[in-house]
Amino acid sequence: MKKIGFIGLGLMGKPMAKNLFKKGFQLIVYNRTPSKTEDFKKIGVPVASSPEELSKEVDVVITIVTDHEAVREVLMGPNGAFNGARPGTVFIDMSTILPRVSIELSEKAKEKGFHFLDAPVSGSTWAAEQGTLAIMVGGEKKIYEENLEVFKALGEKIIYMGPNGNGSYAKLINNIIGATFAAILGEGICFAEKVGLDVSALIEVLSSGAFKSPLIEFKGPKMMKADYSTQFSLNLMFKDLNYMVETAKEKNFPLFLGALTKEIYQAIKNKVNGDLDYAIIVEFFRSLIQ
Amino acid sequence: MKKIGFIGLGLMGKPMAKNLFKKGFQLIVYNRTPSKTEDFKKIGVPVASSPEELSKEVDVVITIVTDHEAVREVLMGPNGAFNGARPGTVFIDMSTILPRVSIELSEKAKEKGFHFLDAPVSGSTWAAEQGTLAIMVGGEKKIYEENLEVFKALGEKIIYMGPNGNGSYAKLINNIIGATFAAILGEGICFAEKVGLDVSALIEVLSSGAFKSPLIEFKGPKMMKADYSTQFSLNLMFKDLNYMVETAKEKNFPLFLGALTKEIYQAIKNKVNGDLDYAIIVEFFRSLIQ
């Protein structure tokens, strides 16, 4: 079995690393905030003192951290994993970052004799725990195939997207669609409240037709009850929307709905705690009619 | 069994009327274009020469026609059904129209001693054939309950929404969410094309997460292949978007995404055949980058 170094034990990373351990991979972990490594120490997983140390004797380094600044830091910063890894090491970045940065990192990796896959995930922390994430992978197909066993330990649906950057492109498109769908759901629910509809009956209607989906099923009731306990935070969604807007600009692509969606998320982010669930987008619309 | 007069044998109405016949209701039909009644003549269903004639001896009059002008015409026009019906007749309008007009019609019906339910449907012609439509009903609850057997012959999910107008409100909210979801899907697919992603792999990604839905499953491939064979036409979706925008204005409700979506549908409607499927919205985005 491959030996894996895992960097980033956040809401998603922690259950993912645990799944690799359960499936029998040799594991070593690193996290910037050391307290998050305690669970792993208890079960005998070694904890590295830096990404550089972690990378020294592994076949694969997985990163799943907040944004591209964090990925750059853990890979290319002082004590970064690129300093310690042996030639041939496979870097799998599962963070959601700018496709441009995924491509840049893949080029730097290649210069040093490493391999690089951008492989962001979609799915909740629950899916991370169950090992049922969707994973969209960009990079050399041969390397993707050689590491399929790693992906299969983490996800249910593994989709090869093409060369480096394509995993990140797919993830940003996925999230701008999700963010816009959630926003129009919020707009619709708020209009229903305005005209005095029974919102739970409306959610039943919405769940009976062409867009019956987990998003309607889970975010609809959260919006109705103003329950913003976090499944995926407003801050993270906003970050991804900004990445999408920036990427569209780089490609001279005129965003319409996506751009307006980003502005709506900006507006509500100025008013609420961004660590809450992005279902809180409904409050943007409520704030307009109160 | 109730005796039912059925007005409007279009793409949805025809299979719905046939289901009522199969379930054993006594049926009489009317359609403005007489050729559409041929199928019914063949199976021995009487064809009325006017809505007025149709309404004379039935318990229930169902209307499902294109827009509120058409509903007004068949109910309140010269030779309209309101002229022929007996007191106590139940009018069920299953068209998608302005909630304001649903309320107005219910009031006129009441003045004449009739009952009125606004009961628009969601689902494809296939769902109409299978009798698996979703039906959202506004009106007096007692009348709704007394006619549940009629609804159950037509749909799988029958949802009571409250007083008159609420069925129509729910339908417009449903469609503005669907129209916006389809538009952001088109925007996303077009961006994927621009950056060289494999769109079928992208659709697989989109079908693996929070918005896995019939809309992604059916409209995604139609957009990818530019197959605009009609399931629900651009013209009808555009009509509903206009109804929603008009209704929001009446209620002083500030639409954001819904309003932009309407403009996007307007733009593509100026360029293509509006009888085609609304999946053609993707061509709006393609036209911007070609």
Side-chain angles (χ1 to χ4, degrees):
Chain A
M1 291 282 261
K2 288 182 200 300
K3 189 164 180 187
I4 298 178
F6 199 103
I7 298 176
L9 303 170
L11 281 175
M12 299 297 281
K14 194 172 187 171
M16 290 165 70
K18 283 188 180 168
N19 279 334
L20 292 171
F21 178 76
K22 278 181 213 152
K23 298 277 164 74
F25 288 97
Q26 274 195 70
L27 195 65
I28 174 169
V29 299
Y30 171 80
N31 195 74
R32 195 169 44 180
T33 312
S35 59
K36 292 191 181 163
T37 61
E38 292 300 329
D39 278 18
F40 292 88
K41 276 185 193 156
K42 278 181 201 156
I43 53 175
V45 172
V47 176
S49 62
S50 72
E52 182 174 353
E53 189 202 318
L54 168 140
S55 67
K56 282 185 173 152
E57 284 170 43
V58 297
D59 306 302
V60 173
V61 175
I62 294 177
T63 45
I64 180 160
V65 294
T66 310
D67 52 26
H68 62 248
E69 287 84 356
V71 184
R72 277 211 186 98
E73 176 71 20
V74 297
L75 294 185
M76 305 203 298
N79 310 314
F82 279 8
N83 293 330
R86 297 169 299 187
T89 300
V90 176
F91 285 86
I92 303 177
D93 179 36
M94 307 188 83
S95 320
T96 299
I97 65 170
L98 283 172
R100 168 168 58 75
V101 177
S102 298
I103 294 167
E104 175 201 316
L105 291 169
S106 73
E107 286 164 356
K108 300 275 187 204
K110 202 173 175 187
E111 283 170 19
K112 292 179 172 281
F114 308 142
H115 303 290
F116 184 90
L117 300 171
D118 45 294
V121 302
S122 108
S124 59
T125 51
W126 190 84
E129 283 161 19
Q130 304 298 310
T132 57
L133 294 164
I135 307 175
M136 45 217 93
V137 189
E140 211 182 310
K141 190 154 193 182
K142 183 170 162 287
I143 302 302
Y144 158 74
E145 283 164 353
E146 286 171 6
N147 289 279
L148 208 46
E149 56 178 335
V150 177
F151 292 124
K152 285 190 173 159
L154 300 170
E156 201 169 52
K157 199 122 186 189
I158 322 297
I159 304 156
Y160 179 70
M161 296 301 304
N164 276 123
N166 280 17
S168 292
Y169 280 127
K171 179 62 195 289
L172 294 187
I173 295 171
N174 185 80
N175 277 18
I176 206 156
I177 293 175
T180 304
F181 188 14
I184 189 65
L185 175 63
E187 192 165 312
I189 283 178
C190 195
F191 181 75
E193 289 167 353
K194 171 85 180 173
V195 299
L197 284 197
D198 173 349
V199 175
S200 63
L202 176 70
I203 292 171
E204 212 185 326
V205 168
L206 301 177
S207 298
S208 306
F211 34 96
K212 172 185 168 62
S213 57
L215 192 141
I216 298 280
E217 186 189 342
F218 294 116
K219 300 303 179 195
K222 283 177 83 72
M223 289 179 183
M224 184 176 77
K225 296 173 197 158
D227 159 19
Y228 305 125
S229 54
T230 311
Q231 293 166 335
F232 186 65
S233 78
L234 177 65
N235 282 341
L236 283 178
M237 186 60 103
F238 184 63
K239 182 207 74 169
D240 294 353
L241 289 173
N242 277 292
Y243 282 172
M244 180 67 196
V245 168
E246 187 174 336
T247 302
K249 186 163 181 297
E250 285 166 20
K251 297 288 173 183
N252 301 314
F253 184 87
L255 277 184
F256 277 71
L257 288 163
L260 177 56
T261 295
K262 195 269 273 180
E263 300 308 322
I264 293 172
Y265 279 75
Q266 174 72 71
I268 195 63
K269 192 170 142 26
N270 290 343
K271 293 190 180 193
V272 302
N273 174 2
D275 290 328
L276 294 173
D277 194 84
Y278 74 101
I280 204 166
I281 198 67
V282 69
E283 295 295 343
F284 168 77
F285 301 101
R286 286 190 184 129
S287 73
L288 300 172
I289 56 167
Q290 272 154 6
Chain B
M1 290 284 260
K2 288 180 199 300
K3 188 163 182 187
I4 299 177
F6 199 103
I7 298 176
L9 303 170
L11 281 175
M12 299 297 283
K14 194 175 189 169
M16 290 165 69
K18 284 189 179 166
N19 278 334
L20 291 170
F21 178 76
K22 279 182 213 153
K23 298 275 165 76
F25 289 97
Q26 275 195 70
L27 195 64
I28 174 168
V29 300
Y30 170 80
N31 194 74
R32 195 169 46 180
T33 312
S35 60
K36 291 191 181 164
T37 61
E38 292 301 329
D39 278 18
F40 291 88
K41 276 185 194 154
K42 277 182 202 155
I43 54 175
V45 172
V47 176
S49 63
S50 72
E52 182 175 354
E53 187 200 319
L54 169 139
S55 67
K56 281 187 174 148
E57 284 171 43
V58 297
D59 306 302
V60 173
V61 175
I62 294 177
T63 45
I64 180 160
V65 294
T66 309
D67 52 25
H68 62 246
E69 287 84 355
V71 183
R72 277 212 187 95
E73 176 71 22
V74 297
L75 295 185
M76 305 204 298
N79 309 314
F82 278 7
N83 293 331
R86 298 169 298 188
T89 300
V90 175
F91 285 87
I92 302 178
D93 180 36
M94 308 189 83
S95 321
T96 299
I97 64 169
L98 282 172
R100 169 168 57 75
V101 177
S102 298
I103 293 166
E104 175 202 316
L105 291 169
S106 74
E107 285 163 357
K108 299 274 188 209
K110 202 174 176 186
E111 283 169 19
K112 291 179 172 280
F114 309 140
H115 303 289
F116 185 90
L117 300 171
D118 45 296
V121 302
S122 109
S124 58
T125 51
W126 190 83
E129 284 161 17
Q130 305 299 310
T132 58
L133 293 165
I135 307 175
M136 46 218 94
V137 189
E140 210 181 311
K141 191 156 192 182
K142 184 170 161 286
I143 303 301
Y144 158 75
E145 283 165 353
E146 285 170 6
N147 289 277
L148 209 46
E149 56 178 336
V150 177
F151 292 124
K152 284 190 173 160
L154 300 170
E156 200 169 52
K157 199 121 186 188
I158 322 296
I159 303 156
Y160 179 70
M161 296 302 303
N164 277 123
N166 280 15
S168 292
Y169 280 127
K171 179 63 195 291
L172 294 187
I173 295 171
N174 186 80
N175 277 16
I176 205 156
I177 293 175
T180 304
F181 189 15
I184 189 67
L185 175 63
E187 192 165 314
I189 283 178
C190 195
F191 181 75
E193 290 167 351
K194 170 85 179 175
V195 299
L197 283 198
D198 172 349
V199 175
S200 63
L202 177 70
I203 292 171
E204 211 185 326
V205 167
L206 301 177
S207 298
S208 306
F211 35 96
K212 172 185 170 60
S213 58
L215 192 141
I216 298 280
E217 187 189 342
F218 295 116
K219 300 302 179 194
K222 284 177 84 71
M223 290 180 182
M224 183 176 79
K225 296 173 196 158
D227 158 20
Y228 305 125
S229 55
T230 311
Q231 293 166 335
F232 185 67
S233 77
L234 178 64
N235 282 342
L236 283 177
M237 186 60 103
F238 184 64
K239 182 208 75 170
D240 295 352
L241 288 173
N242 278 292
Y243 282 171
M244 180 66 197
V245 168
E246 189 174 335
T247 303
K249 186 163 181 300
E250 285 167 20
K251 297 289 175 182
N252 302 313
F253 184 86
L255 277 183
F256 277 71
L257 288 163
L260 177 55
T261 294
K262 195 269 274 180
E263 300 308 322
I264 293 171
Y265 280 74
Q266 175 71 71
I268 195 64
K269 192 170 143 28
N270 291 343
K271 294 189 179 193
V272 301
N273 173 0
D275 289 328
L276 295 173
D277 194 83
Y278 75 99
I280 205 166
I281 198 67
V282 69
E283 296 295 342
F284 168 77
F285 301 101
R286 286 191 183 129
S287 74
L288 299 173
I289 56 167
Q290 272 154 6

Tab-separated table of all heavy atoms in Angstrom, chain B residues 197-235:
chain	number	residue	atom	x	y	z
B	197	LEU	N	-13.178	22.061	-21.072
B	197	LEU	CA	-13.554	20.877	-20.280
B	197	LEU	C	-14.378	19.915	-21.122
B	197	LEU	O	-15.090	20.322	-22.034
B	197	LEU	CB	-14.425	21.281	-19.090
B	197	LEU	CG	-13.796	21.904	-17.854
B	197	LEU	CD1	-14.774	21.805	-16.694
B	197	LEU	CD2	-12.484	21.249	-17.486
B	198	ASP	N	-14.328	18.653	-20.737
B	198	ASP	CA	-15.219	17.645	-21.288
B	198	ASP	C	-16.587	17.854	-20.610
B	198	ASP	O	-16.749	17.597	-19.417
B	198	ASP	CB	-14.631	16.269	-20.959
B	198	ASP	CG	-15.563	15.120	-21.313
B	198	ASP	OD1	-16.747	15.369	-21.615
B	198	ASP	OD2	-15.096	13.971	-21.276
B	199	VAL	N	-17.566	18.318	-21.396
B	199	VAL	CA	-18.855	18.700	-20.790
B	199	VAL	C	-19.600	17.491	-20.237
B	199	VAL	O	-20.276	17.589	-19.210
B	199	VAL	CB	-19.726	19.503	-21.782
B	199	VAL	CG1	-21.108	19.781	-21.201
B	199	VAL	CG2	-19.042	20.833	-22.114
B	200	SER	N	-19.458	16.335	-20.870
B	200	SER	CA	-20.159	15.175	-20.312
B	200	SER	C	-19.569	14.793	-18.952
B	200	SER	O	-20.307	14.389	-18.046
B	200	SER	CB	-20.185	13.995	-21.283
B	200	SER	OG	-18.872	13.563	-21.526
B	201	ALA	N	-18.264	14.964	-18.785
B	201	ALA	CA	-17.667	14.720	-17.461
B	201	ALA	C	-18.168	15.756	-16.465
B	201	ALA	O	-18.456	15.431	-15.301
B	201	ALA	CB	-16.139	14.754	-17.547
B	202	LEU	N	-18.296	17.009	-16.926
B	202	LEU	CA	-18.832	18.047	-16.032
B	202	LEU	C	-20.254	17.705	-15.582
B	202	LEU	O	-20.586	17.841	-14.399
B	202	LEU	CB	-18.831	19.410	-16.726
B	202	LEU	CG	-19.456	20.535	-15.882
B	202	LEU	CD1	-18.572	20.897	-14.690
B	202	LEU	CD2	-19.744	21.776	-16.724
B	203	ILE	N	-21.080	17.242	-16.517
B	203	ILE	CA	-22.465	16.889	-16.157
B	203	ILE	C	-22.462	15.752	-15.132
B	203	ILE	O	-23.273	15.738	-14.204
B	203	ILE	CB	-23.282	16.536	-17.416
B	203	ILE	CG1	-23.483	17.810	-18.257
B	203	ILE	CG2	-24.645	15.927	-17.057
B	203	ILE	CD1	-24.089	17.578	-19.630
B	204	GLU	N	-21.512	14.845	-15.286
B	204	GLU	CA	-21.382	13.765	-14.298
B	204	GLU	C	-21.045	14.348	-12.912
B	204	GLU	O	-21.592	13.922	-11.900
B	204	GLU	CB	-20.285	12.805	-14.759
B	204	GLU	CG	-20.517	11.371	-14.342
B	204	GLU	CD	-19.330	10.486	-14.717
B	204	GLU	OE1	-18.686	10.721	-15.769
B	204	GLU	OE2	-19.045	9.562	-13.918
B	205	VAL	N	-20.143	15.330	-12.895
B	205	VAL	CA	-19.815	15.999	-11.632
B	205	VAL	C	-21.063	16.647	-11.043
B	205	VAL	O	-21.393	16.462	-9.860
B	205	VAL	CB	-18.729	17.085	-11.843
B	205	VAL	CG1	-18.615	17.989	-10.616
B	205	VAL	CG2	-17.384	16.446	-12.163
B	206	LEU	N	-21.787	17.392	-11.874
B	206	LEU	CA	-22.963	18.129	-11.395
B	206	LEU	C	-24.054	17.178	-10.907
B	206	LEU	O	-24.881	17.538	-10.083
B	206	LEU	CB	-23.517	19.027	-12.507
B	206	LEU	CG	-22.557	20.078	-13.070
B	206	LEU	CD1	-23.217	20.848	-14.211
B	206	LEU	CD2	-22.083	21.045	-11.993
B	207	SER	N	-24.039	15.968	-11.444
B	207	SER	CA	-25.054	14.982	-11.053
B	207	SER	C	-24.641	14.185	-9.821
B	207	SER	O	-25.326	13.245	-9.432
B	207	SER	CB	-25.296	13.988	-12.196
B	207	SER	OG	-25.793	14.672	-13.310
B	208	SER	N	-23.496	14.544	-9.240
B	208	SER	CA	-22.994	13.752	-8.113
B	208	SER	C	-23.099	14.488	-6.796
B	208	SER	O	-22.705	13.963	-5.775
B	208	SER	CB	-21.519	13.402	-8.342
B	208	SER	OG	-21.358	12.780	-9.575
B	209	GLY	N	-23.603	15.713	-6.819
B	209	GLY	CA	-23.570	16.490	-5.592
B	209	GLY	C	-24.924	16.992	-5.173
B	209	GLY	O	-25.948	16.353	-5.408
B	210	ALA	N	-24.910	18.175	-4.565
B	210	ALA	CA	-26.090	18.722	-3.904
B	210	ALA	C	-27.212	19.078	-4.866
B	210	ALA	O	-28.349	19.218	-4.451
B	210	ALA	CB	-25.700	19.970	-3.107
B	211	PHE	N	-26.903	19.223	-6.146
B	211	PHE	CA	-28.014	19.578	-7.039
B	211	PHE	C	-28.255	18.550	-8.128
B	211	PHE	O	-28.777	18.861	-9.199
B	211	PHE	CB	-27.887	21.000	-7.592
B	211	PHE	CG	-26.481	21.422	-7.854
B	211	PHE	CD1	-25.955	21.302	-9.106
B	211	PHE	CD2	-25.709	21.924	-6.833
B	211	PHE	CE1	-24.662	21.684	-9.353
B	211	PHE	CE2	-24.413	22.310	-7.069
B	211	PHE	CZ	-23.886	22.193	-8.330
B	212	LYS	N	-27.873	17.330	-7.818
B	212	LYS	CA	-28.305	16.173	-8.617
B	212	LYS	C	-29.816	16.271	-8.777
B	212	LYS	O	-30.540	16.288	-7.768
B	212	LYS	CB	-27.945	14.912	-7.838
B	212	LYS	CG	-28.469	13.615	-8.404
B	212	LYS	CD	-28.116	12.475	-7.408
B	212	LYS	CE	-28.824	11.162	-7.784
B	212	LYS	NZ	-28.461	10.686	-9.119
B	213	SER	N	-30.301	16.345	-9.995
B	213	SER	CA	-31.731	16.584	-10.219
B	213	SER	C	-32.105	16.193	-11.637
B	213	SER	O	-31.238	16.118	-12.512
B	213	SER	CB	-32.035	18.069	-10.015
B	213	SER	OG	-31.230	18.836	-10.898
B	214	PRO	N	-33.401	15.965	-11.877
B	214	PRO	CA	-33.825	15.707	-13.264
B	214	PRO	C	-33.402	16.841	-14.204
B	214	PRO	O	-33.064	16.592	-15.363
B	214	PRO	CB	-35.349	15.616	-13.154
B	214	PRO	CG	-35.605	15.191	-11.738
B	214	PRO	CD	-34.519	15.835	-10.928
B	215	LEU	N	-33.383	18.091	-13.713
B	215	LEU	CA	-33.015	19.201	-14.597
B	215	LEU	C	-31.586	19.023	-15.132
B	215	LEU	O	-31.327	19.157	-16.324
B	215	LEU	CB	-33.164	20.547	-13.883
B	215	LEU	CG	-33.090	21.773	-14.812
B	215	LEU	CD1	-34.092	22.845	-14.389
B	215	LEU	CD2	-31.706	22.367	-14.891
B	216	ILE	N	-30.635	18.717	-14.243
B	216	ILE	CA	-29.250	18.476	-14.681
B	216	ILE	C	-29.216	17.272	-15.632
B	216	ILE	O	-28.606	17.315	-16.697
B	216	ILE	CB	-28.325	18.196	-13.471
B	216	ILE	CG1	-28.269	19.385	-12.511
B	216	ILE	CG2	-26.922	17.786	-13.948
B	216	ILE	CD1	-27.367	20.514	-12.911
B	217	GLU	N	-29.914	16.227	-15.238
B	217	GLU	CA	-29.868	14.971	-15.987
B	217	GLU	C	-30.445	15.116	-17.400
B	217	GLU	O	-29.908	14.559	-18.354
B	217	GLU	CB	-30.651	13.918	-15.193
B	217	GLU	CG	-30.577	12.514	-15.714
B	217	GLU	CD	-31.557	11.602	-14.972
B	217	GLU	OE1	-32.034	11.965	-13.864
B	217	GLU	OE2	-31.873	10.536	-15.519
B	218	PHE	N	-31.539	15.874	-17.532
B	218	PHE	CA	-32.197	15.981	-18.842
B	218	PHE	C	-31.748	17.203	-19.641
B	218	PHE	O	-31.523	17.114	-20.833
B	218	PHE	CB	-33.722	15.973	-18.693
B	218	PHE	CG	-34.246	14.665	-18.166
B	218	PHE	CD1	-34.891	14.586	-16.944
B	218	PHE	CD2	-34.062	13.490	-18.897
B	218	PHE	CE1	-35.358	13.367	-16.447
B	218	PHE	CE2	-34.524	12.266	-18.416
B	218	PHE	CZ	-35.170	12.210	-17.186
B	219	LYS	N	-31.655	18.365	-18.981
B	219	LYS	CA	-31.307	19.580	-19.729
B	219	LYS	C	-29.804	19.650	-20.005
B	219	LYS	O	-29.396	20.219	-21.012
B	219	LYS	CB	-31.763	20.834	-18.986
B	219	LYS	CG	-33.263	20.923	-18.720
B	219	LYS	CD	-34.118	20.856	-19.973
B	219	LYS	CE	-35.600	20.915	-19.630
B	219	LYS	NZ	-36.460	20.531	-20.760
B	220	GLY	N	-28.973	19.106	-19.109
B	220	GLY	CA	-27.520	19.128	-19.321
B	220	GLY	C	-27.142	18.532	-20.684
B	220	GLY	O	-26.544	19.216	-21.520
B	221	PRO	N	-27.499	17.280	-20.944
B	221	PRO	CA	-27.162	16.686	-22.243
B	221	PRO	C	-27.817	17.406	-23.423
B	221	PRO	O	-27.219	17.504	-24.497
B	221	PRO	CB	-27.686	15.249	-22.123
B	221	PRO	CG	-27.664	14.974	-20.644
B	221	PRO	CD	-28.014	16.282	-19.996
B	222	LYS	N	-29.044	17.925	-23.239
B	222	LYS	CA	-29.685	18.673	-24.332
B	222	LYS	C	-28.838	19.906	-24.683
B	222	LYS	O	-28.612	20.211	-25.847
B	222	LYS	CB	-31.107	19.108	-23.954
B	222	LYS	CG	-32.132	17.966	-24.006
B	222	LYS	CD	-33.525	18.438	-23.559
B	222	LYS	CE	-34.328	19.101	-24.660
B	222	LYS	NZ	-34.806	18.177	-25.696
B	223	MET	N	-28.368	20.607	-23.656
B	223	MET	CA	-27.532	21.783	-23.894
B	223	MET	C	-26.222	21.389	-24.575
B	223	MET	O	-25.775	22.030	-25.512
B	223	MET	CB	-27.226	22.488	-22.570
B	223	MET	CG	-28.427	23.174	-21.948
B	223	MET	SD	-27.975	23.990	-20.385
B	223	MET	CE	-29.588	24.627	-19.873
B	224	MET	N	-25.628	20.321	-24.086
B	224	MET	CA	-24.347	19.870	-24.630
B	224	MET	C	-24.466	19.536	-26.115
B	224	MET	O	-23.623	19.907	-26.916
B	224	MET	CB	-23.874	18.649	-23.834
B	224	MET	CG	-22.516	18.121	-24.244
B	224	MET	SD	-21.990	16.759	-23.183
B	224	MET	CE	-22.923	15.384	-23.868
B	225	LYS	N	-25.549	18.829	-26.463
B	225	LYS	CA	-25.724	18.361	-27.853
B	225	LYS	C	-26.496	19.345	-28.709
B	225	LYS	O	-26.786	19.055	-29.868
B	225	LYS	CB	-26.485	17.029	-27.838
B	225	LYS	CG	-25.751	15.890	-27.146
B	225	LYS	CD	-26.668	14.664	-27.045
B	225	LYS	CE	-26.145	13.658	-26.037
B	225	LYS	NZ	-27.194	12.763	-25.545
B	226	ALA	N	-26.885	20.478	-28.140
B	226	ALA	CA	-27.744	21.429	-28.859
B	226	ALA	C	-28.981	20.715	-29.411
B	226	ALA	O	-29.398	20.940	-30.545
B	226	ALA	CB	-26.971	22.162	-29.957
B	227	ASP	N	-29.550	19.846	-28.594
B	227	ASP	CA	-30.794	19.149	-28.957
B	227	ASP	C	-31.945	19.885	-28.271
B	227	ASP	O	-32.162	19.738	-27.064
B	227	ASP	CB	-30.723	17.688	-28.482
B	227	ASP	CG	-32.116	17.067	-28.331
B	227	ASP	OD1	-33.080	17.592	-28.936
B	227	ASP	OD2	-32.229	16.057	-27.607
B	228	TYR	N	-32.653	20.684	-29.050
B	228	TYR	CA	-33.695	21.524	-28.442
B	228	TYR	C	-35.103	21.025	-28.758
B	228	TYR	O	-36.056	21.815	-28.795
B	228	TYR	CB	-33.487	22.985	-28.851
B	228	TYR	CG	-32.095	23.465	-28.501
B	228	TYR	CD1	-31.251	24.020	-29.455
B	228	TYR	CD2	-31.604	23.315	-27.196
B	228	TYR	CE1	-29.965	24.426	-29.121
B	228	TYR	CE2	-30.318	23.716	-26.861
B	228	TYR	CZ	-29.505	24.264	-27.836
B	228	TYR	OH	-28.234	24.657	-27.500
B	229	SER	N	-35.229	19.709	-28.987
B	229	SER	CA	-36.563	19.134	-29.134
B	229	SER	C	-37.340	19.464	-27.855
B	229	SER	O	-36.813	19.391	-26.746
B	229	SER	CB	-36.450	17.624	-29.328
B	229	SER	OG	-35.713	17.056	-28.266
B	230	THR	N	-38.615	19.815	-28.042
B	230	THR	CA	-39.338	20.484	-26.965
B	230	THR	C	-39.908	19.540	-25.908
B	230	THR	O	-40.659	18.625	-26.210
B	230	THR	CB	-40.494	21.307	-27.561
B	230	THR	OG1	-39.968	22.095	-28.633
B	230	THR	CG2	-41.110	22.212	-26.513
B	231	GLN	N	-39.516	19.786	-24.659
B	231	GLN	CA	-40.206	19.193	-23.512
B	231	GLN	C	-41.072	20.282	-22.870
B	231	GLN	O	-42.215	20.060	-22.516
B	231	GLN	CB	-39.189	18.638	-22.511
B	231	GLN	CG	-38.415	17.436	-23.082
B	231	GLN	CD	-37.194	17.071	-22.268
B	231	GLN	OE1	-36.610	17.894	-21.567
B	231	GLN	NE2	-36.775	15.818	-22.360
B	232	PHE	N	-40.472	21.489	-22.729
B	232	PHE	CA	-41.224	22.663	-22.259
B	232	PHE	C	-40.632	23.835	-23.030
B	232	PHE	O	-39.423	24.047	-23.022
B	232	PHE	CB	-41.061	22.813	-20.742
B	232	PHE	CG	-41.900	23.927	-20.144
B	232	PHE	CD1	-43.280	23.839	-20.131
B	232	PHE	CD2	-41.302	25.051	-19.597
B	232	PHE	CE1	-44.061	24.866	-19.591
B	232	PHE	CE2	-42.067	26.076	-19.049
B	232	PHE	CZ	-43.451	25.974	-19.040
B	233	SER	N	-41.486	24.578	-23.697
B	233	SER	CA	-40.963	25.525	-24.683
B	233	SER	C	-40.421	26.797	-24.036
B	233	SER	O	-40.852	27.218	-22.960
B	233	SER	CB	-42.034	25.886	-25.707
B	233	SER	OG	-42.958	26.815	-25.156
B	234	LEU	N	-39.458	27.393	-24.738
B	234	LEU	CA	-38.917	28.694	-24.351
B	234	LEU	C	-40.046	29.722	-24.227
B	234	LEU	O	-40.085	30.502	-23.269
B	234	LEU	CB	-37.908	29.136	-25.417
B	234	LEU	CG	-37.254	30.502	-25.230
B	234	LEU	CD1	-36.401	30.529	-23.971
B	234	LEU	CD2	-36.402	30.857	-26.443
B	235	ASN	N	-40.976	29.721	-25.181
B	235	ASN	CA	-42.083	30.689	-25.133
B	235	ASN	C	-42.907	30.565	-23.850
B	235	ASN	O	-43.266	31.569	-23.235
B	235	ASN	CB	-43.015	30.494	-26.335
B	235	ASN	CG	-42.433	31.099	-27.605
B	235	ASN	OD1	-41.528	31.932	-27.549
B	235	ASN	ND2	-42.941	30.662	-28.751
